[in-house]
Amino acid sequence: MGGSDAKGGAGGEAARYFRHPALPEVDLLRARYVTHRFTRHAHPGHTIALIESGVEEFDLPGGVERAGPGSLAVVNPGVVHTGQAGVPEGWAYRVIYPPVELVSGIAGELGAPRGTIAFPAVLDDPAAARRLRAFHRAGERGDALAASSLLRVALAGLLTRHAERVRGDAGPAALPPAVRDARDILEASLLDPPSLDELAELVGTRPFPLLRAFRERVGLPPHAYLNQVRVRAARTLLDEGLRPADVASRTGFADQAHLTRHFKRTVGVPPGAYQSAARGAGGERAARTRAHRA
């Protein structure tokens, strides 16, 4: 079973980030946090968290949500959010990060029209909670058949009972041209990004209007968006096996400590723990493939 633990910290915080070899596209996290705070960020896929104890509080564009024991905290793809303790003792949870393609594929098998699936932010559904817990535990045990089966059953149940809407994905074309161009420039300038004044000049507008429009449409100011893109690029390089120090220099972070700080505030574990999970899942998947072919 590919995975890595990040232990220690205030109040006995601990986090295990892992991937099941049979489901390498689905990231999993089991953690207890007290003082840890996730910075404002977004995920390309779905985030579904089963709260096991305590309360998680998370900011969404529509306001602050709170999820307590037994409930599911859900963040839809591309939605900027935070994550922090809602009570002094913090919270413990199990999280799955299924990609859009997986969820949409299951929705299609259930007869839903094509589009992006959205769910309410907090769900009170004991049956869904049991299924997600069972899937997570199967993943921890390395039970490939159970994990892959339970995940599909859990997601099908969520889709059947809670899919809020199916909407067309307007994508980047829906952004104002200046915001879209500024975003593209930042994504291509991880190592040497322009200043806000330079960025505004490049896209043909003034700094403050660009800052305001970018924050309003993307959900983050340009500098925070750049750090998110850097973390995303860092994940790709870590998956490829590069050392965290090399990853830091190739994604625009000042040093490994700078990478670690931003990475943990977005992903929940340090780069080394993340990389161990990725390496373990890939290694076990390759070993199983070789054995099958033999």
Side-chain angles (χ1 to χ4, degrees), residues 180-190 225-226 229 232-233:
R180 185 176 65 247
D181 293 346
R183 187 205 57 186
D184 292 346
I185 290 169
L186 291 174
E187 291 179 355
S189 308
L190 299 188
Y225 180 77
L226 176 64
V229 174
R232 192 182 307 144

Side-chain angles (χ1 to χ4, degrees), residues 21-33:
L23 299 163
E25 74 278 15
V26 181
D27 293 351
L28 300 98
L29 173 68
R30 184 182 184 187
R32 177 178 182 268
Y33 296 122

